[in-house]
Amino acid sequence: MEITEIQERVSKILAENLSVPEEKVTPEARFQEDLDADSLDLVEAVLALEEEFGVSIPEEEMEGVRTVGQAAQLVASKLEPSTQA
Amino acid sequence: MSDRRASVALVTGASRAIGRATALALARSGLAVAVGYRSDPEGAEEVAAKASADGGRALPISIDVTEEKSIEGAFTRIESELGTVRVLVNNAGLSKDGLAVRYPTEAWDATVNTNLRGAFLCSRRALRGMLKARWGRIVNIASAAALRGNSGQSAYSASKAGLVGMTRSMAREVAIRGITVNAVCPGFVESKITAVAGDELRQRYIEMTPAGRFGTPEEIAGVIAFLAGPEASYVTGAILSVDGGLTA
């Protein structure tokens, strides 16, 4: 899967989960400051991403994630092994 | 308000005593009930059969709350056969009494693993579906021993007091999503365990209880069913004693 496609799907899911317009969910958008997401919103968003992509994202790895783009990168890194297989 | 006819409840440790009475009460209130059991499939079958005979829907489910795999398997099966769990009653528990000075480490671990860690693991799994549904009820079965000390029950009291603390914190986390988390603290209740206690001990327990008698499992189940229902939508983080005045 291309990173742009992953980014698009991630943005769509985040927009749905955080109840914000999709155009606001750019790769640069910061969860807290730009999207008004609190910790519970984020946890729910991660659960939704895990379900959508069939990946497992450990809580520790979410700690450094501040932007939508970083979240998409993290999802992409989890997908790599299966796309190679 | 949610459509309760479509709602599913899981009661752990439901093959006897308070768990059994709770499963039956929830089934009567219209919920499809997963009757969780670890070591007593016949007991769980009997509870499910009785719930069905009363016009309810119930399914015996093997679940060992100390094993994450077992919990995942049970939830997956419940989701495919009944639907998403919207009411979770963390009732599975064990009690092994003994004075602290000689209390075995293994007994401590088993007590805390089942009573506290097990309730956490089941709640964590159930919250996924509840958050999505924007509705949920978690009822933790603690004990009067969480609120007052009992000689010989360091491990049991600690596990149940832990459950009370967990209830309060979790309630705060998810209240905004329409999910309530409460704890019930039963006093002395008629059960297999209290039945084998000697007459002298029974008499002492009765004397300690202002109501002057043991409670019945049904008297505890009624309160649990209330907390699990739509009428209790504004009750969360509550620690409710149901003990005939024991801790009053």
Side-chain angles (χ1 to χ4, degrees):
Chain A
M1 208 183 302
E2 295 285 324
I3 183 74
T4 49
E5 190 195 339
I6 295 170
Q7 178 67 60
E8 268 172 38
R9 281 170 63 188
V10 166
S11 295
K12 191 166 181 293
I13 291 159
L14 292 176
E16 275 169 26
N17 266 269
L18 304 175
S19 307
V20 289
E22 225 176 303
E23 58 269 23
K24 275 191 78 178
V25 191
T26 60
E28 298 75 33
R30 294 165 301 173
F31 288 109
Q32 269 186 347
E33 296 85 344
D34 304 322
L35 303 176
D36 200 26
D38 66 15
S39 58
L40 184 57
D41 291 325
L42 271 183
V43 165
E44 286 179 321
V46 172
L47 289 174
L49 289 175
E50 286 183 331
E51 197 168 298
E52 168 77 12
F53 290 96
V55 296
S56 173
I57 302 170
E59 195 59 21
E60 313 86 81
E61 296 186 31
M62 272 306 293
E63 276 166 19
V65 174
R66 297 274 175 274
T67 67
V68 172
Q70 288 171 336
Q73 290 288 349
L74 186 56
V75 169
S77 75
K78 297 295 168 195
L79 283 171
E80 268 163 21
S82 59
T83 42
Q84 281 167 3
Chain B
M1 191 72 45
S2 145
D3 177 5
R4 298 189 78 227
R5 281 171 304 175
S7 272
V8 177
L10 165 61
V11 183
T12 63
S15 57
R16 60 192 169 85
I18 293 172
R20 175 182 189 277
T22 301
L24 294 175
L26 294 179
R28 270 198 305 276
S29 79
L31 290 147
V33 179
V35 181
Y37 68 90
R38 189 192 57 176
S39 56
D40 182 10
E42 290 85 10
E45 288 284 354
E46 185 270 334
V47 174
K50 183 158 170 43
S52 304
D54 294 347
R57 188 153 173 243
L59 177 73
I61 288 280
S62 164
I63 178 167
D64 178 348
V65 302
T66 64
E67 298 288 344
E68 286 186 63
K69 265 194 192 146
S70 170
I71 294 170
E72 185 53 41
F75 271 86
T76 305
R77 204 180 140 213
I78 295 166
E79 280 158 4
S80 74
E81 298 198 22
L82 296 176
T84 306
V85 172
R86 306 249 239 135
V87 174
L88 170 66
V89 181
N90 284 312
N91 171 71
L94 59 85
S95 168
K96 185 175 163 45
D97 289 1
L99 296 178
V101 67
R102 277 175 55 80
Y103 199 72
T105 311
E106 296 72 26
W108 171 277
D109 289 345
T111 304
V112 174
N113 272 343
T114 303
N115 300 3
L116 180 55
R117 182 175 176 269
F120 170 72
L121 294 178
C122 289
S123 301
R124 187 176 69 185
R125 181 58 177 79
L127 279 172
R128 289 177 168 240
M130 292 177 184
L131 283 170
K132 250 190 205 167
R134 296 284 189 269
W135 197 94
R137 296 278 188 269
I138 296 177
V139 184
N140 295 317
I141 310 309
S143 164
L147 310 173
R148 67 189 291 283
N150 253 355
S151 178
Q153 291 202 316
S154 291
Y156 186 73
S157 302
S159 71
K160 295 298 191 177
L163 209 45
V164 165
M166 185 182 88
T167 299
R168 292 194 174 114
S169 288
M170 208 179 274
R172 284 178 174 269
E173 285 184 14
V174 294
I176 196 80
R177 296 288 192 266
I179 302 165
T180 70
V181 186
N182 293 290
V184 168
C185 296
F188 297 112
V189 174
E190 295 289 357
S191 74
K192 230 185 192 169
I193 301 168
T194 52
V196 297
D199 282 348
E200 214 173 294
L201 195 58
R202 277 181 66 92
Q203 195 52 45
R204 223 181 66 210
Y205 289 160
I206 288 170
E207 278 162 17
M208 285 162 70
T209 305
R213 62 175 178 84
F214 278 44
T216 65
E218 289 71 25
E219 286 175 304
I220 313 300
V223 177
I224 297 166
F226 162 70
L227 291 171
E231 299 84 357
S233 46
Y234 203 56
V235 184
T236 196
I239 312 303
L240 203 44
S241 288
V242 190
D243 63 5
L246 177 68
T247 56

